[in-house]
Structure formats: C-alpha cells, structure tokens
Amino acid sequence: MSKADSSDLDALVNKMKSAASPLRTVLRELYDKYLPLRDGKVADYIPELAKADPGSFGITVVTKDGQVFSAGDVKQQFTIQSISKPFVFGLALEMHGRDYVLSKVGVEPTGEAFNAIVLDETSNRPFNPMVNSGAVATADLIEGKDFPERVSRLIAMFSRYCGRPVYVDNTVFMSERATGHRNRAIGHLMLNFGMVRDRIEESLELYFQQCSMMVNCHDLAVMGATLANGGVNPVTGERALEQQYVKYLLSIMLSCGMYDYAGEWAYRVGIPSKSGVAGGIVAVVPGVAGIGIYSPPLDAKGNSVRGIKVFEELSERFGLHAFETGFTGPSFLDQFKPARTS
Ligand code: GLU
C-alpha cells in the first residue's frame, strides 16, 4: 500500500471512530445551547471584519492522533488576527533561541488592552509577545534575505501548522495597513527606544500580513493539536515547531493569550489559548488535543462571547483546567472513543 493510500485509510478509520464518539454529541449540544446567544458585537474597525455573520459559529476538536470532531460552520474562513501571535513567536524562537528572544520581548502580562501604548522601559522591551507592541517586535525578529522571503517564511510556517497552503487576504491586509496608525505609532516608539531595528516599516507590514492570514475553525484546531502533539502536525506528520519551544508558547498563551481577560481565563478555564478580533480562539490541551472555535461577536475585552462560554463549559465538564487535581467527572479522553453500543 502506498503512503498516500495508508494515510487515506487512517483518515477514514479516524472518521469512523469520531462518528461514533460521545464528543460529537457533546459538541453538537454546546453548539445548540450557545447558538441562540445574541450578546457581543462583531469587530468593525475595518469593513471586512464588520461584514462577518454574527450567527456563524463553529467548534472543532482535533486530537493529538489526528481524530477530528466538529459542530457548526467549521469551514467558514476568517482572518487569524491576533491568534497569529504565539505562532510567529515560535518562529522567532526557532530563528534566535530563547535567550535572545527574551532579551527583545518580555513575558510579563500587562493587564492592559492589547493595543496599549506601554513599554517596559526598565528592561527596554515590550512586555510580552501577545500585545501589539510585543507582536510587532516579534515580527521584527523574523529573518529573511528580503521582505518577500520574510513573508513566505511566515506563510510556510502557518501552512505547516494547518496542514494545507494558507494565504493572506489582500483586502484585509490593505485595510489593516491603511488603518494601522496606532500600531505604526507603537512601532516607531519602539524604534525610538532602540527596541527594534530601523526596518520597522517593513516589520509592521509583516505584522499586518500575519494578521490577515485566512484560516477556518478546523485549521485552528489542527494548529492547537500540533502544539498539543509537541510541535508535529498530527494530520500530516510534519513538524511545525521544534519541540523544545512548545512549552514557551503554551505558557505565554496561558498567562497572556486572552487580552485583558487573561488572568481570569487562566483562573477559571486554565487552558492555554489565544483569541483574535475576527472571533477565533485556539486552545491547547497539552498532550491531548487542540480546540478551535469561531464566532465573531466579541465581548468588551475582545474575546468571542460564544467561545468563552463553550470553553468554560468544556473545562468544567471534563476537568481540563491545567491545574486540576483529583477531578472525578468524566474523562475527556473517554469522549474520543467510540461509544459502547451494548
Ligand atoms: N490587526 C489587529 C491589530 O493589530 C489585531 C487585533 C487582534 O486580533 O487583537 O490591531
């Protein structure tokens, strides 16, 4: 049997297993329960985001062995936005190593809005890679012989995580760039302090490109599953991130991934996650699975309203909090197995 045939067969076996698994029912229940929720507001700072359908809602779980469970609009495409930040940080780690990256971008939560104009002037670096200042400084660390090579390295990296070629939505990119004055101001302030190199305009362009990458809910779950699986995409078998760096992405996602709700998220939900302004959330249950959610209406802190609800419930029901001890409820792992029929 050829390699392609055997991976087709694996996919078929996984599909049959997941069709009979309790998690499929659980996700459907969560979808039905939270779809009627009408709270929150779709981001409208650029016209492309304002066009999103507030009723669009998808949930996908991909296990570390590549099984897929989903409910709702899991193929609806949207821009990755801030969810790109931990992944680009991972690429910077691979290019420069932990200590150099840490000398350029801190790892302390700010408790401030993602686009706050605050910098850690004592250590001369932005606070962390999940706020815009830190993300722009991280983009500045992405190397390449010229700008096209820097962009194509980013695209290649996201494609490895998603297991398919991804692309930048040019209309969103043009809008992000046309309206990105605040990010430009942050970039130039960092240049003033010597926190970034003098190619800052180009690095800002790179940041706008990374935010405009198109993904769907299924992609987010595969990306999360790749981290859950130590950096190897469980669907394609391709490595997207060196294993030694996975824990750094996850720890920053846990402490800083959910805008200025990150502390409460770590406290209540306890799953390393990152959300984006288009309404996506990627989450990682280390060693177990990745979870992707898409639902565009956002709460006041910028997180998907339905997304927060689903994660709160999944964490409670299956004891997914990172610091859970002695959980006596149903095991999440058991939800992946085919249900017993007798
Ligand atoms: N492109 C957005 C910005 O930099 C990202 C917003 C987000 O997803 O947090 O303002």
Side-chain angles (χ1 to χ4, degrees):
M1 198 189 297
S2 76
K3 206 172 159 206
D5 287 342
S6 79
S7 71
D8 281 355
L9 192 63
D10 287 349
L12 187 67
V13 169
N14 276 343
K15 210 169 172 176
M16 284 166 66
K17 277 205 265 178
S18 65
S21 301
L23 190 57
R24 225 172 143 245
T25 316
V26 170
L27 297 185
R28 188 74 223 177
E29 257 172 52
L30 292 169
Y31 175 84
D32 290 341
K33 179 167 171 190
Y34 294 115
L35 182 65
L37 200 61
R38 292 278 171 247
D39 299 344
K41 203 171 154 295
V42 171
D44 60 1
Y45 71 91
I46 53 172
E48 294 73 23
L49 289 178
K51 278 187 225 146
D53 172 5
S56 186
F57 182 24
I59 315 170
T60 301
V61 175
V62 173
T63 64
K64 70 170 271 192
D65 59 355
Q67 294 184 67
V68 182
F69 306 86
S70 54
D73 310 324
V74 295
K75 297 285 171 196
Q76 174 64 47
Q77 300 245 36
F78 53 92
T79 45
I80 191 166
Q81 297 288 354
S82 276
I83 300 171
S84 61
K85 291 172 180 172
F87 299 95
V88 177
F89 182 66
L91 187 59
L93 286 169
E94 286 188 327
M95 288 179 169
H96 298 282
R98 187 192 65 175
D99 294 341
Y100 182 76
V101 172
L102 192 57
S103 74
K104 294 289 169 193
V105 187
V107 289
E108 297 304 331
T110 63
E112 307 250 8
F114 70 102
N115 58 1
I117 304 186
V118 286
L119 297 166
D120 183 353
E121 288 173 46
T122 323
S123 55
N124 208 46
R125 53 187 183 177
F127 279 97
N128 69 68
M130 303 292 118
V131 289
N132 285 9
S133 51
V136 171
T138 303
D140 192 50
L141 294 174
I142 302 306
E143 307 298 351
K145 68 176 184 310
D146 52 20
F147 182 65
E149 187 171 285
R150 294 173 76 198
V151 177
S152 52
R153 284 187 171 167
L154 275 192
I155 294 178
M157 183 257 313
F158 283 113
S159 301
R160 284 195 297 277
Y161 275 105
C162 293
R164 67 175 184 92
V166 294
Y167 64 93
V168 171
D169 183 299
N170 207 43
T171 321
V172 175
F173 167 65
M174 298 299 271
S175 283
E176 290 286 346
R177 174 210 245 173
T179 58
H181 308 302
R182 195 178 171 101
N183 288 326
R184 212 165 272 119
I186 292 171
H188 282 272
L189 194 58
M190 290 194 295
L191 179 59
N192 172 68
F193 287 123
M195 296 179 183
V196 290
R197 284 171 274 184
D198 60 9
R199 59 178 186 181
I200 188 61
E201 278 297 334
E202 200 189 276
S203 296
L204 282 159
E205 294 276 299
L206 198 63
Y207 172 74
F208 297 137
Q209 294 261 351
Q210 77 179 59
C211 287
S212 311
M213 210 76 65
M214 293 302 278
V215 290
N216 60 36
C217 177
H218 175 267
D219 293 327
L220 292 184
V222 178
M223 294 171 84
T226 300
L227 293 178
N229 190 37
V232 174
N233 181 320
V235 180
T236 62
E238 197 181 359
R239 179 166 289 284
L241 178 68
E242 285 175 42
Q243 178 140 30
Q244 58 170 321
Y245 297 122
V246 171
K247 62 178 183 281
Y248 303 129
L249 271 65
L250 297 185
S251 53
I252 290 170
M253 287 163 75
L254 186 61
S255 60
C256 313
M258 300 297 284
Y259 301 117
D260 37 334
Y261 186 66
E264 193 167 332
W265 175 271
Y267 186 77
R268 292 163 71 100
V269 178
I271 306 175
S273 308
K274 182 73 199 87
S275 67
V277 78
I281 301 180
V282 64
V284 182
V285 184
V288 179
I291 307 172
I293 293 195
Y294 173 61
S295 168
L298 308 176
D299 63 18
K301 306 234 171 184
N303 294 306
S304 166
V305 172
R306 293 191 187 100
I308 296 265
K309 288 282 177 205
V310 171
F311 277 113
E312 277 178 0
E313 188 161 337
L314 279 173
S315 179
E316 285 274 316
R317 262 170 91 165
F318 301 112
L320 300 183
H321 195 294
F323 308 123
E324 185 66 70
T325 53
F327 178 72
T328 53
S331 137
F332 194 46
L333 288 174
D334 283 348
Q335 310 306 308
F336 307 153
K337 298 175 186 155
R340 287 208 194 102
T341 44
S342 59

mmCIF file of all heavy atoms in Angstrom, residues 45 80-83 85 114-115 132 176 183 207-208 211 259 274-278, ligand 1:
data_model
loop_
_atom_site.group_PDB
_atom_site.id
_atom_site.type_symbol
_atom_site.label_atom_id
_atom_site.label_comp_id
_atom_site.label_asym_id
_atom_site.label_seq_id
_atom_site.Cartn_x
_atom_site.Cartn_y
_atom_site.Cartn_z
ATOM 1 N N TYR A 45 -13.652 47.769 13.053
ATOM 2 C CA TYR A 45 -12.654 48.819 12.791
ATOM 3 C C TYR A 45 -12.178 48.814 11.337
ATOM 4 O O TYR A 45 -11.573 49.773 10.867
ATOM 5 C CB TYR A 45 -11.480 48.725 13.786
ATOM 6 C CG TYR A 45 -10.571 47.537 13.592
ATOM 7 C CD1 TYR A 45 -9.443 47.617 12.774
ATOM 8 C CD2 TYR A 45 -10.840 46.325 14.221
ATOM 9 C CE1 TYR A 45 -8.616 46.518 12.594
ATOM 10 C CE2 TYR A 45 -10.025 45.224 14.044
ATOM 11 C CZ TYR A 45 -8.911 45.335 13.226
ATOM 12 O OH TYR A 45 -8.106 44.239 13.043
ATOM 13 N N ILE A 80 -6.941 35.342 10.796
ATOM 14 C CA ILE A 80 -6.391 34.794 12.038
ATOM 15 C C ILE A 80 -6.157 35.891 13.082
ATOM 16 O O ILE A 80 -6.260 35.649 14.276
ATOM 17 C CB ILE A 80 -5.097 34.006 11.731
ATOM 18 C CG1 ILE A 80 -4.624 33.198 12.920
ATOM 19 C CG2 ILE A 80 -3.994 34.935 11.241
ATOM 20 C CD1 ILE A 80 -3.576 32.151 12.583
ATOM 21 N N GLN A 81 -5.823 37.106 12.620
ATOM 22 C CA GLN A 81 -5.582 38.256 13.504
ATOM 23 C C GLN A 81 -4.611 37.905 14.633
ATOM 24 O O GLN A 81 -3.591 37.302 14.377
ATOM 25 C CB GLN A 81 -6.925 38.813 14.014
ATOM 26 C CG GLN A 81 -7.797 39.353 12.892
ATOM 27 C CD GLN A 81 -7.277 40.666 12.302
ATOM 28 O OE1 GLN A 81 -6.326 41.239 12.804
ATOM 29 N NE2 GLN A 81 -7.859 41.117 11.209
ATOM 30 N N SER A 82 -4.972 38.231 15.878
ATOM 31 C CA SER A 82 -4.013 38.064 16.980
ATOM 32 C C SER A 82 -3.673 36.616 17.300
ATOM 33 O O SER A 82 -2.714 36.373 18.040
ATOM 34 C CB SER A 82 -4.559 38.717 18.243
ATOM 35 O OG SER A 82 -4.253 40.079 18.234
ATOM 36 N N ILE A 83 -4.454 35.677 16.770
ATOM 37 C CA ILE A 83 -4.127 34.263 17.020
ATOM 38 C C ILE A 83 -2.782 33.922 16.372
ATOM 39 O O ILE A 83 -2.116 32.962 16.746
ATOM 40 C CB ILE A 83 -5.261 33.351 16.503
ATOM 41 C CG1 ILE A 83 -6.564 33.694 17.211
ATOM 42 C CG2 ILE A 83 -4.925 31.873 16.698
ATOM 43 C CD1 ILE A 83 -7.792 33.019 16.626
ATOM 44 N N LYS A 85 -0.140 35.521 16.799
ATOM 45 C CA LYS A 85 0.986 35.992 17.621
ATOM 46 C C LYS A 85 1.836 34.884 18.257
ATOM 47 O O LYS A 85 3.061 34.907 18.135
ATOM 48 C CB LYS A 85 0.485 36.988 18.670
ATOM 49 C CG LYS A 85 0.017 38.311 18.048
ATOM 50 C CD LYS A 85 -0.664 39.216 19.060
ATOM 51 C CE LYS A 85 -1.117 40.530 18.442
ATOM 52 N NZ LYS A 85 -1.929 41.339 19.350
ATOM 53 N N PHE A 114 -4.783 45.124 24.496
ATOM 54 C CA PHE A 114 -3.778 44.563 23.581
ATOM 55 C C PHE A 114 -3.018 45.626 22.792
ATOM 56 O O PHE A 114 -1.885 45.427 22.390
ATOM 57 C CB PHE A 114 -4.443 43.583 22.603
ATOM 58 C CG PHE A 114 -5.345 44.250 21.584
ATOM 59 C CD1 PHE A 114 -4.910 44.439 20.287
ATOM 60 C CD2 PHE A 114 -6.604 44.693 21.930
ATOM 61 C CE1 PHE A 114 -5.717 45.054 19.339
ATOM 62 C CE2 PHE A 114 -7.420 45.323 20.992
ATOM 63 C CZ PHE A 114 -6.972 45.505 19.703
ATOM 64 N N ASN A 115 -3.686 46.788 22.583
ATOM 65 C CA ASN A 115 -3.030 47.805 21.755
ATOM 66 C C ASN A 115 -2.540 48.991 22.594
ATOM 67 O O ASN A 115 -2.302 50.072 22.071
ATOM 68 C CB ASN A 115 -3.963 48.267 20.638
ATOM 69 C CG ASN A 115 -5.260 48.837 21.174
ATOM 70 O OD1 ASN A 115 -5.446 48.908 22.390
ATOM 71 N ND2 ASN A 115 -6.137 49.253 20.289
ATOM 72 N N ASN A 132 0.191 44.077 21.106
ATOM 73 C CA ASN A 132 0.649 44.503 19.786
ATOM 74 C C ASN A 132 2.113 44.931 19.758
ATOM 75 O O ASN A 132 2.837 44.610 18.815
ATOM 76 C CB ASN A 132 -0.246 45.616 19.247
ATOM 77 C CG ASN A 132 -1.574 45.063 18.777
ATOM 78 O OD1 ASN A 132 -1.878 43.893 19.004
ATOM 79 N ND2 ASN A 132 -2.375 45.894 18.128
ATOM 80 N N GLU A 176 -5.906 46.742 7.050
ATOM 81 C CA GLU A 176 -5.113 46.764 8.290
ATOM 82 C C GLU A 176 -3.997 47.803 8.170
ATOM 83 O O GLU A 176 -3.733 48.568 9.095
ATOM 84 C CB GLU A 176 -4.474 45.391 8.558
ATOM 85 C CG GLU A 176 -5.446 44.293 8.952
ATOM 86 C CD GLU A 176 -5.970 44.420 10.372
ATOM 87 O OE1 GLU A 176 -5.413 45.193 11.170
ATOM 88 O OE2 GLU A 176 -6.967 43.745 10.678
ATOM 89 N N ASN A 183 -0.635 50.977 15.560
ATOM 90 C CA ASN A 183 0.460 50.003 15.517
ATOM 91 C C ASN A 183 1.736 50.656 14.974
ATOM 92 O O ASN A 183 2.840 50.376 15.438
ATOM 93 C CB ASN A 183 0.070 48.803 14.653
ATOM 94 C CG ASN A 183 -0.969 47.939 15.337
ATOM 95 O OD1 ASN A 183 -0.961 47.811 16.561
ATOM 96 N ND2 ASN A 183 -1.881 47.367 14.573
ATOM 97 N N TYR A 207 3.722 42.314 10.146
ATOM 98 C CA TYR A 207 2.690 42.134 11.172
ATOM 99 C C TYR A 207 1.292 42.227 10.558
ATOM 100 O O TYR A 207 0.416 41.407 10.853
ATOM 101 C CB TYR A 207 2.890 43.176 12.294
ATOM 102 C CG TYR A 207 1.756 43.168 13.286
ATOM 103 C CD1 TYR A 207 1.629 42.133 14.211
ATOM 104 C CD2 TYR A 207 0.788 44.170 13.289
ATOM 105 C CE1 TYR A 207 0.564 42.104 15.101
ATOM 106 C CE2 TYR A 207 -0.269 44.147 14.187
ATOM 107 C CZ TYR A 207 -0.378 43.109 15.090
ATOM 108 O OH TYR A 207 -1.434 43.071 15.959
ATOM 109 N N PHE A 208 1.065 43.213 9.676
ATOM 110 C CA PHE A 208 -0.260 43.325 9.033
ATOM 111 C C PHE A 208 -0.535 42.095 8.162
ATOM 112 O O PHE A 208 -1.657 41.625 8.073
ATOM 113 C CB PHE A 208 -0.354 44.605 8.183
ATOM 114 C CG PHE A 208 -0.222 45.884 8.978
ATOM 115 C CD1 PHE A 208 0.550 46.942 8.522
ATOM 116 C CD2 PHE A 208 -0.887 46.034 10.195
ATOM 117 C CE1 PHE A 208 0.674 48.123 9.258
ATOM 118 C CE2 PHE A 208 -0.770 47.215 10.943
ATOM 119 C CZ PHE A 208 0.018 48.254 10.473
ATOM 120 N N CYS A 211 -1.550 39.097 10.424
ATOM 121 C CA CYS A 211 -2.920 39.243 10.945
ATOM 122 C C CYS A 211 -3.961 38.909 9.876
ATOM 123 O O CYS A 211 -5.090 38.555 10.191
ATOM 124 C CB CYS A 211 -3.158 40.678 11.418
ATOM 125 S SG CYS A 211 -2.312 41.074 12.941
ATOM 126 N N TYR A 259 -6.339 38.589 25.866
ATOM 127 C CA TYR A 259 -6.404 40.035 26.085
ATOM 128 C C TYR A 259 -6.380 40.348 27.588
ATOM 129 O O TYR A 259 -5.734 39.618 28.350
ATOM 130 C CB TYR A 259 -7.645 40.627 25.394
ATOM 131 C CG TYR A 259 -7.655 40.389 23.906
ATOM 132 C CD1 TYR A 259 -8.640 39.635 23.293
ATOM 133 C CD2 TYR A 259 -6.657 40.916 23.099
ATOM 134 C CE1 TYR A 259 -8.644 39.422 21.915
ATOM 135 C CE2 TYR A 259 -6.649 40.712 21.726
ATOM 136 C CZ TYR A 259 -7.635 39.960 21.147
ATOM 137 O OH TYR A 259 -7.629 39.755 19.793
ATOM 138 N N LYS A 274 -5.458 31.387 22.673
ATOM 139 C CA LYS A 274 -5.257 32.727 22.108
ATOM 140 C C LYS A 274 -6.480 33.091 21.289
ATOM 141 O O LYS A 274 -6.970 32.279 20.514
ATOM 142 C CB LYS A 274 -4.010 32.750 21.209
ATOM 143 C CG LYS A 274 -3.719 34.128 20.633
ATOM 144 C CD LYS A 274 -3.174 35.087 21.681
ATOM 145 C CE LYS A 274 -3.283 36.556 21.301
ATOM 146 N NZ LYS A 274 -4.580 37.170 21.671
ATOM 147 N N SER A 275 -6.953 34.300 21.498
ATOM 148 C CA SER A 275 -8.110 34.718 20.712
ATOM 149 C C SER A 275 -7.732 35.842 19.757
ATOM 150 O O SER A 275 -6.668 36.462 19.888
ATOM 151 C CB SER A 275 -9.260 35.130 21.625
ATOM 152 O OG SER A 275 -8.921 36.284 22.318
ATOM 153 N N GLY A 276 -8.599 36.083 18.792
ATOM 154 C CA GLY A 276 -8.358 37.118 17.788
ATOM 155 C C GLY A 276 -9.622 37.925 17.561
ATOM 156 O O GLY A 276 -10.731 37.453 17.854
ATOM 157 N N VAL A 277 -9.447 39.108 17.009
ATOM 158 C CA VAL A 277 -10.540 40.054 16.881
ATOM 159 C C VAL A 277 -11.591 39.623 15.834
ATOM 160 O O VAL A 277 -12.717 40.107 15.845
ATOM 161 C CB VAL A 277 -9.937 41.451 16.584
ATOM 162 C CG1 VAL A 277 -9.515 41.581 15.135
ATOM 163 C CG2 VAL A 277 -10.839 42.570 16.997
ATOM 164 N N ALA A 278 -11.229 38.681 14.966
ATOM 165 C CA ALA A 278 -12.223 38.187 13.999
ATOM 166 C C ALA A 278 -13.199 37.210 14.652
ATOM 167 O O ALA A 278 -14.195 36.820 14.040
ATOM 168 C CB ALA A 278 -11.521 37.527 12.816
HETATM 169 N N1 GLU B 1 -4.880 43.519 13.398
HETATM 170 C C1 GLU B 1 -5.294 43.809 14.705
HETATM 171 C C2 GLU B 1 -4.467 44.898 15.326
HETATM 172 O O1 GLU B 1 -3.271 44.801 15.361
HETATM 173 C C3 GLU B 1 -5.227 42.552 15.552
HETATM 174 C C4 GLU B 1 -6.306 42.639 16.504
HETATM 175 C C5 GLU B 1 -6.496 41.385 17.312
HETATM 176 O O2 GLU B 1 -6.868 40.321 16.804
HETATM 177 O O3 GLU B 1 -6.313 41.517 18.518
HETATM 178 O O4 GLU B 1 -4.991 45.874 15.796
#
